[in-house]
Amino acid sequence: FWKVAGGLLILLICCINMYFVVAYVKSLHNLGLYIGAAVLSVIYLSFVAYLTWLCLIALGVSFLACGNTVSVTRTLHLEEPPCHPPK
């Protein structure tokens, strides 16, 4: 339940932020500022997508994790015995 509620809360916050960005861009009335706001919006939405991806991996959606992952909470350090006994 908490994973779903957290995901919905993240989605709600992102939608509110996107609404304010669109409202701000509509009030600019300048082409240069439109372009700047569009570039910053793309960067912002890319960052939000990246954070959402990481949050979903942290919540247990393991198929999104690319490559090998290591759990730092369950690592076991074993000392290997030396190859040759000391003389």
Side-chain angles (χ1 to χ4, degrees):
F1 170 76
W2 291 111
K3 290 180 183 181
V4 173
L8 290 175
L9 182 63
I10 290 169
L11 182 63
L12 176 67
I13 291 170
C14 289
C15 289
I16 291 170
N17 284 334
M18 285 190 295
Y19 169 77
F20 284 124
V21 167
V22 169
Y24 173 72
V25 169
K26 284 183 178 181
S27 68
L28 291 178
H29 304 298
N30 185 343
L31 181 62
L33 293 176
Y34 283 145
I35 293 170
V39 169
L40 288 176
S41 296
V42 168
I43 292 170
Y44 171 73
L45 291 175
S46 299
F47 182 65
V48 168
Y50 172 72
L51 289 178
T52 304
W53 176 62
L54 287 180
C55 286
L56 288 172
I57 290 172
L59 289 172
V61 185
S62 60
F63 71 89
L64 292 176
C66 299
N68 296 332
T69 58
V70 176
S71 173
V72 292
T73 58
R74 295 188 181 196
T75 56
L76 180 62
H77 298 285
L78 298 175
E79 292 185 19
E80 294 183 20
C83 295
H84 302 287
K87 294 182 181 180

